[in-house]
Amino acid sequence: MCCPYRSLWRFRDLVRTLTEAAVNGPLIVSSVLAPRQAMLAGLGSAPLPSWLAGLDLGVRRLIDLFHDHACIATLVETAVWTLCASCCYLPLKTLVFLDPL
């Protein structure tokens, strides 16, 4: 399964107890920005990184449904997320970094 967080969300509470919740919905996106826009439009909930949701949480455009929990978006506890511009050229240092992944 390429994106397990589409059907299963994992949470850790303040004492690191793991809880899993099965989820489903009609919207599947490949952009990290699209779930935020969908939530702002009132289409439901989504796990968002704090760097993306922080401002909206601060001004109460979004609310934190699980403020005592951390959402884990992957099956492992560490992950590397990359965002590459859609262009033909990637710098060598970027390719060297991404190749082992």
Side-chain angles (χ1 to χ4, degrees), residues 1 13 49 71 88 96:
M1 179 182 297
D13 63 17
C71 184
C88 297
V96 169

Side-chain angles (χ1 to χ4, degrees), residues 21-61:
V23 295
N24 64 30
L27 182 64
I28 296 175
V29 297
S30 61
S31 164
V32 70
L33 302 176
R36 176 184 169 269
Q37 292 299 325
M39 288 175 35
L40 290 172
L43 297 178
S45 60
L48 292 181
S50 56
W51 60 264
L52 182 59
L55 179 61
D56 294 312
L57 291 168
V59 296
R60 307 219 24 99
R61 281 190 294 258

Side-chain angles (χ1 to χ4, degrees), residues 10-14 17-19 66-73:
R10 299 174 74 204
F11 302 91
R12 284 213 184 273
D13 63 17
L14 297 175
T17 302
L18 181 67
T19 302
F66 304 101
H67 61 277
D68 289 336
H69 292 76
C71 184
I72 304 166

